[in-house]
Amino acid sequence: MRDKLLIVEDLWKFIDGKPILRGVAFEINEGETKVILGPSGAGKSTLLRCINLLVMPDKGKIIFDGEDILGKRDIHSVRSKIGFVFQHFNLFSHMTALENVMFGLIKVKKMSKNEAEKKAKGALAAVGITEELWDKYPAQLSGGQQQRVAIARALAMEPKLILFDEPTSALDPELIWEVLNVMERLAKARMTMIVVTHEIGFAMRVADEVMFLDNGVILEKGAPEQVILNPRNERVKRFMDRMKYVYSIGKGNVY
Amino acid sequence: MWQSFASYIPIISSAVPNTLILTFLSFAIATALGIAMAFAEVFATKAVSIVVDWIARVLRGIPLIISIFIVFYGLPKVGVVLPSLYAAILGIAIVDAGYQEQIFRGAIKAVSTKQLEAAYSLGLARAEAFLYIVLPQAFRIALPSWINDFTVVLKDTSIAYAIGVVEVFTQAVHVAQVIMDYVWPLIFVSVIYLAICYPLSLLSNYLHSKLKSMGMLGSGM
Ligand SMILES: Nc1ncnc2c1ncn2[C@@H]1O[C@H](COP(=O)(O)OP(=O)(O)O)[C@@H](O)[C@H]1O
Ligand SMILES: [Mg+2]
């Protein structure tokens, strides 16, 4: 039971009276990588944002690390244990790459400046951001570099779980690789991750389990080979056929 | 005519410190009031926000000369008598606060909510996120307009002439009346204003393009 890091039960979210999440339930074990696929507007971002409490669900339960976090008053300490990587990086624009990574360590983890700097440099090195980039501001970095700094910022906090919300969707095709590569290495190192992405190649290689979300409901979940290559649900099959065509995997029937 | 004017130059120049005191103090008071109003408008409840917005509009709508007259001639009626220098400072500050509220409100709103969400995700509380993320970014965004506003206030201080404050414009007019020539005194006093404003406007332009290239002008990311 203890190795279940996250349990989501019957999660509902309404926005302006409209149901966005409709009874979502799943579990994730420590060290697992879960990939969430689904069309845009399905509620994928909302689901991730519920997990780190940027959005408050209306109904259901989220048990993280053995605690019911929806009942907790101290949401800040929960958030500090869950990393979040955004589609648009959301680096602090008035801070250098290094300062971006140090910021949470100093303000939230209350580390000394020296300690934080050492730790931040280690995290930046781990995502392949080399020394000459440490003092650059976000606007001076490429998208791929910015996203890797953002991953380092999350990583440095030593989170138990990292949530990725379409981390490569805002990147030029050539830069997607460097970010997926970093994420794959994290997965291999048994970091627990939930990744919303359209990169089905990445999902095939890295995911322990794939979930397909549509209209606020999980239509299908299972091993990547099964959900991506042989989906049972008609809606999922139609989506995957198109994805396979775009990513040239197998023979996608596009109609 | 220059010869008769030249010996009066020190009389005008000696009023430069007063002009600077007028400018700095009224600008500083207006900044404090402006930031306070801007924060109230963005972060307080809807009702407070509407009231503050309305106050700022009224302040911006008062002609400067009327503001100064109200402080200098009006306040004594309720028992507050201010020397003309302080009356001018307060009168200018009140109106300028309305303009600075506009500058800082725009800047605070231009800081993207995405930046706040990133801070929250790290585990920061609301107040910390405002202090370390919103404030520094809003200040950078506001900086070029804020410097421009300083030059506006500098020139506005000439209106203190109307209640007899000794500043450069007042002195220039007095000299003109003595030598019976307005041309040189007015040229000279204009050069003084220009000498302060011009470098500041260059600085403002430089900072604007610098901050823009650094992606710090609220790109929405
Ligand atoms: N803050 C919000 N205000 C209004 N509608 C929202 C908001 N957040 C999400 N939605 C709506 O909820 C639905 C799901 O959004 P989202 O979770 O972003 O989907 P996805 O990430 O799968 O594209 C969409 O229809 C979107 O318009
Ligand atoms: Mg989304």
Side-chain angles (χ1 to χ4, degrees), chain A residues 8 14 19 30 33-34 61 111-112 146 153-154 169 179 191 195 210-211 220 248:
Chain A
V8 175
F14 295 84
E30 238 161 75
T33 297
K34 200 161 292 251
K61 235 183 187 174
M111 283 187 185
S112 72
Q146 288 188 58
R153 177 174 68 180
S169 293
V179 171
M191 170 55 79
V195 183
V210 171
M211 303 195 296
E220 190 159 346
S248 307

Side-chain angles (χ1 to χ4, degrees), chain A residues 8-252:
Chain A
V8 175
E9 284 175 15
D10 192 32
L11 203 69
W12 288 75
K13 176 67 193 178
F14 295 84
I15 296 178
D16 302 331
K18 232 180 74 198
I20 305 298
L21 297 177
R22 303 186 292 158
V24 172
F26 67 91
E27 298 177 349
I28 183 165
N29 292 323
E30 238 161 75
E32 255 188 340
T33 297
K34 200 161 292 251
V35 167
I36 300 178
L37 299 173
S40 102
K44 305 182 299 295
S45 299
T46 306
L47 175 58
L48 288 192
R49 295 155 70 83
C50 282
I51 294 170
N52 86 335
L53 305 175
L54 278 178
V55 169
M56 277 298 167
D58 295 308
K59 185 168 171 266
K61 235 183 187 174
I62 301 178
I63 317 281
F64 173 70
D65 203 18
E67 277 185 305
D68 181 353
I69 58 172
L70 295 183
K72 275 196 70 147
R73 220 174 297 137
D74 185 13
I75 60 174
H76 309 301
S77 83
V78 174
R79 284 182 181 149
S80 72
K81 289 183 219 153
I82 301 177
F84 202 107
V85 176
F86 300 86
Q87 180 175 352
H88 295 285
F89 331 130
N90 300 19
L91 290 177
F92 302 125
S93 57
H94 63 303
M95 297 183 196
T96 64
L98 184 62
E99 287 166 349
N100 261 278
V101 183
M102 288 169 62
F103 180 68
L105 299 176
I106 293 172
K107 297 300 176 207
V108 178
K109 295 230 152 183
K110 312 287 179 203
M111 283 187 185
S112 72
K113 206 167 158 280
N114 279 340
E115 224 182 330
E117 190 171 324
K118 220 173 111 197
K119 177 128 205 150
K121 285 176 176 172
L124 285 166
V127 297
I129 297 292
T130 45
E131 202 171 338
E132 73 274 8
L133 298 177
W134 291 350
D135 293 328
K136 297 250 190 275
Y137 286 90
Q140 299 169 310
L141 300 172
S142 75
Q145 290 166 340
Q146 288 188 58
Q147 193 59 296
R148 284 185 288 143
V149 172
I151 294 173
R153 177 174 68 180
L155 210 52
M157 298 290 287
E158 295 184 342
K160 300 208 147 153
L161 169 69
I162 305 186
L163 310 172
F164 294 83
D165 192 1
E166 301 199 33
T168 59
S169 293
L171 296 179
D172 290 337
E174 229 190 337
L175 304 177
I176 291 178
W177 173 85
E178 63 187 58
V179 171
L180 290 183
N181 189 258
V182 164
M183 290 166 60
E184 185 164 350
R185 274 190 283 134
L186 282 179
K188 295 261 154 68
R190 309 308 289 164
M191 170 55 79
T192 315
M193 327 200 289
I194 301 178
V195 183
V196 170
T197 185
H198 295 300
E199 301 291 336
I200 51 174
F202 172 83
M204 290 286 293
R205 256 198 332 278
V206 178
D208 295 296
E209 189 181 53
V210 171
M211 303 195 296
F212 187 91
L213 192 73
D214 186 28
N215 239 322
V217 175
I218 296 178
L219 290 185
E220 190 159 346
K221 63 178 156 187
E225 297 78 21
Q226 190 251 303
V227 177
I228 295 172
L229 299 180
N230 299 299
R232 295 186 193 104
N233 184 294
E234 263 313 302
R235 170 74 183 97
V236 182
K237 187 166 159 18
R238 206 161 67 239
F239 181 89
M240 290 308 165
D241 279 341
R242 291 175 183 174
M243 294 299 279
K244 279 182 262 182
Y245 173 81
V246 171
Y247 288 90
S248 307
I249 291 179
K251 280 200 201 71

